[in-house]
Amino acid sequence: MIPMIHVENLAKNFTLHNQGGASIPVIAGAGFSVAPGECVALTGESGAGKSTVMRILYGNYLAQGGSVRIGTIDITKAEPREILALRRETLGYVSQFLRVVPRVPTLEVVAEPLLALGRPEEEAFDRARDLLTRLRIPERLWTLSPTTFSGGEQQRVNIARGFAHAYPALLLDEPTASLDATNRETVLTLIEEAKAGGAAIVGIFHDLEARARVADREIDVAVFTPKLA
Amino acid sequence: MTPLLDVQSLGKSYGGRIGCADVSLRLYPGEVLGIVGESGSGKSTLLNCLAGHLPPDTGRVIFDTRAEGPRDVLTMSEPERRMLGRTDWAFVHQNPRDGLRMRISAGGNVGERLMAVGARHYGEIRAQATDWLARVEIAEARIDDRPSAFSGGMQQRLQIARNLVTGPRLVFMDEPTGGLDVSVQARLLDLIRGLVRRMGLSAIVVTHDLAVVRLLADRLMVMKDGHVIETGLTDQVLDDPQAPYTQLLVSSVLQV
């Protein structure tokens, strides 16, 4: 099967111009593939580069070498508008933090990815209502902006938003962190449903049980860390 | 896809001093481009050259016109350029007083733009003006008030209504949220974002506020001393800045 996500010989350095021009190599020679319907967990200790890999896959960080193919597009060489289209249609990302325009109601925050795709409002809002219900966000909060919600509620709104559209490629950064048992179960079910629907998933899970349940393979990013000379 | 705006090696000097130099960019339909930089970086000069308010010394500004396809705006006749400014283009000034007529009513400010493109039926003009005031959240009861009786945030919203009523395809914005309270800023940002998405507008937004571009702009251009020093996807430029100056700019933002 053709992989949905294909990473080859990836390299990343951070150059800190305002701190003496120090160049810090963080990733070298990274390569892996994820097939449709497969979930791969990135592992490694804190600071090993898991989040950096995720951010490069999303086009949020620039790579200094190698390629990252998502579907048919190499995100390391794509134009901004190609990356935007990819993020709209193909590539989803559930980060650890919700970042929204103040004042926009929760229901709209969740429906937005579908509205951006031009789906009918009714369909988009139905899907948003369904996800918010499953993730136990009380209905009385739907018309309020999530900026004032608790950390756990924001996290769940973020997950609802991330799962609104069935992205063929999905990146999950600690999706079950800070969730109670019931909500955690819901999120794991959502992940399983996405896999069953053919999504290729790359995730960071510190929750070992969750990782064991949804991940088909683990990749230790320590092997991508450049060896100190 | 044909870019809506294709700017090639644009330059403008004030005597021996560089306003902006060798700026090239392409804006596609539906895209919002943010231009950031400190005061004096050339971002406002660039915006004014693009919008036809200042004649650049060098370069080309090619706009994909509705009727005739791509045309160099700089070689257009003055009437043609004025027509463009009234129909396909809109310019939102930092100070609403520069973009509004302070001595005529709110409804008149919106209606005037419609009349400039040929609307003559009073009832229809008033109905459209009312509709647009509602879209920018100004109560119908205020339609006959002059903008001088409005708060700064309301004036800015009125300026946006005046500019968007003719259904432009390209909007230039110069510090649209500058000088407003943060709570008013949030409301305005939400409004602009909604309008951009619903109307499929393209926009070029000049600001020094990185939080504003993060929420509004798809792409970012960083300027310093008249030169473009970095471009890219907005979140990429802000989260993984490459140029020394951009790194300084991003790391200088105070966290709230």
Side-chain angles (χ1 to χ4, degrees):
Chain A
M1 187 155 26
I2 302 168
M4 183 66 206
I5 300 172
H6 184 67
V7 179
E8 233 178 78
N9 204 20
L10 190 68
K12 173 71 190 163
N13 311 314
F14 287 107
T15 305
L16 308 174
H17 292 286
N18 299 299
Q19 294 176 45
S23 181
I24 306 165
V26 285
I27 294 166
F32 61 92
S33 298
V34 188
E38 192 185 23
C39 175
V40 169
L42 299 180
T43 65
E45 54 193 72
S46 183
K50 301 185 293 293
S51 292
T52 302
V53 171
M54 294 280 264
R55 283 168 173 264
I56 296 171
L57 294 187
Y58 196 58
N60 179 234
Y61 280 2
L62 286 181
Q64 267 67 46
S67 66
V68 173
R69 188 177 54 70
I70 313 274
T72 54
I73 293 196
D74 180 355
I75 206 160
T76 63
K77 291 167 190 75
E79 292 288 321
R81 66 195 175 90
E82 293 176 307
I83 298 178
L84 289 169
L86 191 74
R87 287 179 179 181
R88 229 174 3 250
E89 291 150 19
T90 311
L91 178 64
Y93 181 36
V94 177
S95 67
Q96 291 187 65
F97 306 100
L98 182 68
R99 188 173 249 148
V100 294
V101 183
R103 242 172 53 100
V104 179
T106 297
L107 194 65
E108 230 178 287
V109 167
V110 176
E112 207 202 352
L114 290 171
L115 296 173
L117 280 167
R119 300 284 179 80
E121 288 202 0
E122 201 184 310
E123 179 199 328
F125 286 114
D126 277 351
R127 174 75 179 151
R129 275 188 282 269
D130 177 46
L131 283 163
L132 288 170
T133 307
R134 286 181 69 181
L135 287 158
R136 296 163 180 270
I137 301 288
E139 195 171 338
R140 62 190 157 78
L141 298 181
W142 294 0
T143 53
L144 307 176
S145 161
T147 42
T148 53
F149 291 4
S150 74
E153 284 165 343
Q154 291 199 4
Q155 166 77 345
R156 280 178 280 146
V157 171
N158 206 18
I159 288 167
R161 181 181 160 91
F163 281 91
H165 171 52
Y167 296 103
L170 192 54
L171 311 173
L172 305 173
D173 193 349
E174 294 261 30
T176 56
S178 74
L179 295 183
D180 59 45
T182 320
N183 287 314
R184 178 174 166 276
E185 181 58 35
T186 307
V187 173
L188 293 176
T189 309
L190 283 171
I191 297 172
E192 285 166 345
E193 285 173 10
K195 283 175 65 180
I201 299 176
V202 179
I204 300 174
F205 306 90
H206 282 145
D207 176 347
L208 295 181
E209 270 177 55
R211 188 200 294 170
R213 178 161 147 198
V214 295
D216 301 294
R217 275 189 294 137
E218 292 184 7
I219 294 174
D220 186 352
V221 297
V223 300
F224 304 149
T225 309
K227 300 289 170 287
L228 294 173
Chain B
M1 189 164 32
T2 312
L4 186 65
L5 193 71
D6 185 358
V7 179
Q8 300 167 2
S9 333
L10 199 77
K12 169 82 184 167
S13 296
Y14 301 102
R17 200 165 51 79
I18 292 175
C20 62
D22 199 24
V23 178
S24 297
L25 66 93
R26 278 181 177 179
L27 187 73
Y28 289 86
E31 253 184 352
V32 178
L33 171 72
I35 304 179
V36 295
E38 58 200 4
S39 312
S41 59
K43 54 193 197 308
S44 293
T45 297
L46 173 63
L47 194 72
N48 282 309
C49 285
L50 296 180
H53 298 168
L54 268 179
D57 305 328
T58 56
R60 306 209 297 162
V61 177
I62 294 161
F63 179 72
D64 188 15
T65 62
R66 254 186 260 228
E68 296 165 73
R71 296 222 15 220
D72 189 344
V73 177
L74 301 176
T75 59
M76 274 184 188
S77 68
E78 191 55 32
E80 279 181 306
R81 202 156 44 219
R82 276 170 186 269
M83 195 58 199
L84 204 57
R86 283 201 295 266
T87 54
D88 271 353
W89 287 11
F91 196 102
V92 176
H93 295 266
Q94 173 173 8
N95 186 344
R97 286 171 176 275
D98 296 333
L100 290 173
R101 300 234 292 162
M102 301 304 282
R103 310 181 73 111
I104 64 172
S105 69
N109 263 285
V110 179
E112 188 186 49
R113 287 276 295 200
L114 288 168
M115 287 166 71
V117 293
R120 285 295 173 264
H121 187 281
Y122 177 78
E124 276 169 23
I125 292 172
R126 187 158 173 106
Q128 274 213 53
T130 311
D131 175 48
W132 265 94
L133 291 180
R135 285 203 227 183
V136 297
E137 304 172 20
I138 294 175
E140 194 180 341
R142 304 296 301 268
I143 190 168
D144 294 318
D145 292 351
R146 289 182 185 182
S148 48
F150 286 1
S151 67
M154 278 176 82
Q155 287 181 358
Q156 195 57 297
R157 279 180 276 136
L158 178 61
Q159 192 194 178
I160 288 170
R162 175 178 159 94
N163 269 285
L164 298 190
V165 66
T166 49
R169 292 191 295 151
L170 175 59
V171 185
F172 300 98
M173 298 190 201
D174 190 5
E175 302 274 8
T177 61
L180 298 176
D181 289 336
V182 277
S183 59
V184 180
Q185 273 194 24
R187 184 174 186 187
L188 195 68
L189 285 176
D190 172 26
L191 179 79
I192 295 173
R193 242 171 80 109
L195 291 172
V196 164
R197 194 181 69 203
R198 277 193 290 276
M199 300 176 69
L201 296 175
S202 304
I204 299 183
V205 183
V206 160
T207 179
H208 66 273
D209 189 334
L210 299 183
V212 167
V213 285
R214 192 185 277 275
L215 291 177
L216 276 186
D218 302 313
R219 281 196 297 133
L220 206 56
M221 213 163 92
V222 183
M223 292 190 71
K224 185 181 191 319
D225 300 331
H227 294 270
V228 176
I229 55 167
E230 185 160 355
T231 63
L233 206 60
T234 301
D235 60 283
Q236 182 265 303
V237 173
L238 295 178
D239 294 337
D240 189 17
Q242 306 294 307
Y245 175 70
T246 318
Q247 291 187 354
L248 185 67
L249 201 67
V250 170
S251 65
S252 303
V253 175
L254 299 174
Q255 301 265 334
V256 205

